[in-house]
Amino acid sequence: MMDLILDSRENRHHQIQSIVSNPKHVVLIIKANTVGLDKNTREAYCLVRIFKNHISQYIRFTSLQLNESYDGPYYIGIIDSSDSTVIKRKTIEIEEQHPLGRLIDLDVYDRGGPLSRSNLAFSPRTCFLCGDIAFHCIKSRKHPEVETMDYVRHITMEFITQSLQSIIKKAMELELNLEHKFGLVTKSSSGSHSDMNYRLMHSTIDVLIPFFIQLFELGYQNELNLVDSARTIGRLAENEMFKHTNGINCYKGLIFVLGATLVAVGQVLSNKQTFSMINQTMKEIFHSVINDFKENLNTHGTNVYDKYGLLGARGEVINGLPSVQAIYDLLKRVDETDENSLRNILVKLILLCEDTTFLTRSGSWEKYLFIKDEFKSLDADNLQDVIRFSNKCILEGLSFGGAADLLITALCLKQIEATFF
């Protein structure tokens, strides 16, 4: 993404005119339709990013640039097309069918200027509050500003949280459905976990998702004492998980790692920042977690640190997910529904991260290092080798819960970037 440019309507107009002077170019402007609102709200930034990503699924842009102007953020996209009416019809369809379509303006320009809905025999846009013709409501100032603001914020947040629920569930299911995972629970095997099975793990997903959404909202609302508040929500999530599973720990590590990630995502979106700021934001929010290792908490993670010096999941959060950062570019290039690709990334995470579950199940530091060396020589593209090594891990009671948690977190981040940034 290019640096933001503080722009004016006049500069935008001249820029559009310059582009459409080429008859093969059409310009699409994506800006928030938040009449009565401060144009530079976080909702406006969320809206233009959401629609930039959504529209890019249907329209190929030659270039696409985010500008910051006096009347709010907007994208200016250049499209190679000799038929601007096709583009305009598609944008009208999106405005009318997308859940947030009434909150966005998708303006199409060619050499003749802006294309209007009436030119294409479409009726005028309606007000998102009362259903009347939107222009009449704007001209008469029919609705109080606070009413408009409340509606925009509510419907935008509702869309974001519903999208996040789907993203989190899909990521957790992708990991759970992956076969031959070196002792982790799969659809066909409990792996090294005699107390767990696929049905239990899958049913726990829906128990945890509301708490993950609360953690995102915590960051988005920019509340004070984020770490303490996040810990409170995390403990509630753990309690509900244990209640559902009769005391079996299915996802405690994930609650911590993905929970912290979602707090950071919420704050970055709220502060109108770019996706690249998530890792740094996480480090800034959760830097005090390092004190856990000094306070004799007597948890599994702190005990492993005392004995071996491994930071585990806390280290990933304190340092802004270094293992996820290391595999993220690769993850973006592959189809995550391809089991072989996903398994390769899991192996890389096993090698990269400090997995305290893996260390404990290894039984010794020497065995932990030995198994990691075996992974280095494993041909993860050879399914028969993978199956043999998975069976060996099950036989020896090994499991890699920490790496699995990071895989889920990485999958979430990939889709979060594709949807909201």
Side-chain angles (χ1 to χ4, degrees):
M1 182 184 296
M2 298 180 66
D3 292 336
L4 295 180
I5 303 168
L6 193 61
D7 205 354
S8 66
R9 291 185 181 183
E10 291 76 15
N11 288 339
R12 187 189 314 163
H13 175 75
H14 291 312
Q15 190 177 3
I16 291 169
Q17 291 302 309
S18 174
I19 295 167
V20 297
S21 62
N22 183 333
K24 294 183 179 180
H25 285 166
V26 174
V27 169
L28 173 58
I29 301 292
I30 306 169
K31 57 186 174 68
N33 173 26
T34 51
V35 176
L37 270 177
D38 174 359
K39 300 297 185 181
N40 288 293
T41 61
R42 60 189 177 185
E43 285 77 23
Y45 280 80
C46 286
L47 286 164
V48 297
R49 287 168 168 172
I50 287 167
F51 278 91
K52 177 263 296 186
N53 291 320
H54 182 72
I55 293 166
S56 295
Q57 298 176 46
Y58 306 99
I59 295 173
R60 184 172 181 177
F61 292 96
T62 302
S63 72
L64 190 61
Q65 179 179 311
L66 177 63
N67 294 318
E68 194 170 65
S69 70
Y70 295 100
D71 61 344
Y74 70 93
Y75 277 95
I76 181 166
I78 302 175
I79 305 160
D80 283 341
S81 176
S82 57
D83 192 347
S84 55
T85 61
V86 172
I87 306 299
K88 183 62 177 178
R89 287 181 187 279
K90 187 62 188 179
T91 62
I92 293 172
E93 178 186 316
I94 290 170
E95 287 175 341
E96 294 186 346
Q97 294 183 5
H98 192 281
L100 299 179
R102 290 185 175 190
L103 304 186
I104 201 76
D105 280 334
L106 305 176
D107 298 329
V108 177
Y109 296 80
D110 61 14
R111 291 182 77 182
L115 277 71
S116 70
R117 295 169 68 96
S118 59
N119 291 151
L120 299 179
F122 284 91
S123 56
R125 298 189 76 180
T126 56
C127 171
F128 48 67
L129 286 174
C130 69
D132 194 0
I133 294 175
F135 176 75
H136 295 166
C137 293
I138 295 167
K139 188 175 181 181
S140 65
R141 299 182 180 272
K142 182 176 180 180
H143 305 291
E145 181 178 331
V146 66
E147 186 181 4
T148 305
M149 290 176 65
D150 286 347
Y151 177 82
V152 169
R153 287 170 178 161
H154 170 74
I155 194 172
T156 304
M157 181 55 104
E158 184 176 59
F159 177 84
I160 291 171
T161 55
Q162 287 178 354
S163 299
L164 277 175
Q165 288 172 29
S166 298
I167 288 169
I168 296 164
K169 184 164 188 171
K170 180 183 176 183
M172 294 179 75
E173 288 180 338
L174 279 170
E175 186 280 325
L176 185 57
N177 291 333
L178 179 63
E179 290 289 348
H180 314 303
K181 288 190 310 223
F182 319 110
L184 290 160
V185 175
T186 71
K187 217 168 194 175
S188 63
S189 169
S190 292
S192 303
H193 299 269
S194 59
D195 57 346
M196 297 184 200
N197 57 56
Y198 179 87
R199 183 178 295 178
L200 179 69
M201 298 283 286
H202 192 271
S203 65
T204 305
I205 293 173
D206 289 330
V207 173
L208 294 180
I209 285 177
F211 296 99
F212 286 130
I213 299 303
Q214 286 181 44
L215 287 159
F216 165 78
E217 290 174 341
L218 182 71
Y220 189 78
Q221 300 304 333
N222 266 316
E223 295 192 16
L224 299 174
N225 303 316
L226 280 175
V227 177
D228 290 341
S229 298
R231 284 188 191 273
T232 299
I233 296 170
R235 282 192 288 268
L236 290 171
E238 288 179 18
N239 290 339
E240 285 301 308
M241 176 186 70
F242 286 132
K243 189 187 301 182
H244 175 74
T245 63
N246 292 319
I248 298 169
N249 174 15
C250 292
Y251 286 113
K252 186 173 179 179
L254 182 69
I255 292 169
F256 182 75
V257 173
L258 181 57
T261 302
L262 290 168
V263 172
V265 168
Q267 186 154 103
V268 166
L269 275 179
S270 182
N271 291 336
K272 303 176 287 190
Q273 295 171 314
T274 60
F275 181 81
S276 62
M277 285 300 299
I278 291 172
N279 304 106
Q280 180 60 35
T281 299
M282 185 183 300
K283 288 195 279 187
E284 290 171 0
I285 293 171
F286 293 100
H287 66 91
S288 63
V289 170
I290 192 70
N291 295 325
D292 288 1
F293 299 112
K294 305 171 187 176
E295 295 176 4
N296 195 26
L297 297 177
N298 196 32
T299 66
H300 170 69
T302 58
N303 290 338
V304 170
Y305 174 78
D306 289 340
K307 190 172 182 179
Y308 299 103
L310 261 63
L311 294 172
R314 286 178 175 84
E316 288 289 336
V317 168
I318 292 165
N319 294 305
L321 300 177
S323 298
V324 171
Q325 290 187 63
I327 58 89
Y328 190 70
D329 285 343
L330 174 61
L331 179 63
K332 286 181 67 174
R333 294 196 302 270
V334 303
D335 177 3
E336 65 267 21
T337 63
D338 177 66
E339 289 211 343
N340 191 55
S341 297
L342 214 55
R343 197 181 298 107
N344 265 286
I345 291 170
L346 177 62
V347 169
K348 292 181 186 302
L349 287 169
I350 289 170
L351 290 169
L352 285 164
C353 75
E354 296 181 349
D355 191 335
T356 57
T357 300
F358 166 32
L359 175 57
T360 301
R361 283 179 168 263
S362 298
S364 71
W365 180 250
E366 291 73 23
K367 178 77 176 288
Y368 172 81
L369 295 178
F370 177 77
I371 297 296
K372 282 217 175 193
D373 281 338
E374 288 194 299
F375 268 106
K376 289 177 185 175
S377 58
L378 174 69
D379 181 1
D381 292 317
N382 187 319
L383 185 58
Q384 293 307 312
D385 285 353
V386 167
I387 291 172
R388 279 194 291 272
F389 196 63
S390 289
N391 290 337
K392 167 187 165 69
C393 290
I394 293 171
L395 206 61
E396 297 182 11
L398 300 173
S399 187
F400 305 89
D405 295 338
L406 292 171
L407 177 60
I408 293 169
T409 301
L411 287 166
C412 284
L413 283 171
K414 178 181 178 180
Q415 197 55 46
I416 285 169
E417 180 180 16
T419 306
F420 301 117
F421 288 94

